[in-house]
Amino acid sequence: MGNVGPTELIILLIILGTIAGIILLAIRAAGGRPRAQVAYWAPGVIPQIAEPIRERVRELGAENRLIEAIKLVRQETGLGLRDAKFVTESIIAGRYLPTSTERALQTGPDLATRVRELKEAGRTEQAIFLVRGETGMNQQQAEAFVGLL
């Protein structure tokens, strides 16, 4: 290697830095854990939460430690903050939370059919209320859903 000038030295350092960065990313991807859990929340389907976790959430709620209870639910389910808060408050309040398996076992017309029937009967507000109750959507989302049917 003859004379190596400053330009060649800079190019060599950039190449080595790039190679080192690629190696570090590969190592992290191969052995690292995901940055966040994948949530399996879908509107109307509450993730299954084991009874010991539900009991711990109730205990934390009784101790006015809502933030810790929400963190526990998020950790166990991978839900986002808003959804985890809803689930946590529901558990603490003792409200019934249907699970995905219970939802699948229900018979009868699906939600869209029931909403269409209410809408055709001129009972749009009841249709919106039904959608909100069964899916956990907010008012705006439920109105949009009913409007699309």
Side-chain angles (χ1 to χ4, degrees):
M1 270 178 87
N3 293 329
V4 177
T7 305
E8 289 86 6
L9 187 58
I10 290 173
I11 292 173
L12 181 62
L13 289 175
I14 290 173
I15 291 171
L16 290 175
T18 304
I19 292 171
I22 291 171
I23 291 171
L24 288 174
L25 286 174
I27 291 171
R28 185 171 190 197
R33 59 180 204 184
R35 292 182 183 203
Q37 292 179 330
V38 177
Y40 49 88
W41 171 266
V45 179
I46 306 298
Q48 294 185 5
I49 301 172
E51 188 54 39
I53 302 300
R54 286 177 180 243
E55 186 58 36
R56 181 67 182 138
V57 168
R58 287 186 205 102
E59 290 171 5
L60 290 169
E63 297 169 5
N64 288 325
R65 295 165 55 189
L66 183 62
I67 293 173
E68 290 178 46
I70 293 170
K71 284 182 181 179
L72 177 62
V73 169
R74 290 189 73 191
Q75 178 183 5
E76 290 297 316
T77 64
L79 291 173
L81 180 59
R82 187 178 118 218
D83 296 329
K85 182 177 183 285
F86 169 77
V87 169
T88 302
E89 289 173 344
S90 296
I91 291 171
I92 291 170
R95 290 192 296 260
Y96 174 72
L97 292 171
T99 62
S100 58
T101 54
E102 291 168 340
R103 184 71 65 168
L105 294 175
Q106 291 180 354
T107 59
D110 64 345
L111 177 63
T113 303
R114 290 180 287 152
V115 168
R116 279 190 200 103
E117 289 171 357
L118 286 170
K119 193 174 171 184
E120 289 169 1
R123 297 164 49 194
T124 306
E125 285 302 315
Q126 282 185 315
I128 293 169
F129 184 76
L130 174 67
V131 170
R132 290 190 68 191
E134 290 203 12
T135 66
M137 290 182 186
N138 64 31
Q139 182 74 22
Q140 184 180 6
Q141 293 168 330
E143 287 172 358
F145 179 82
V146 170
L148 290 172
L149 292 177

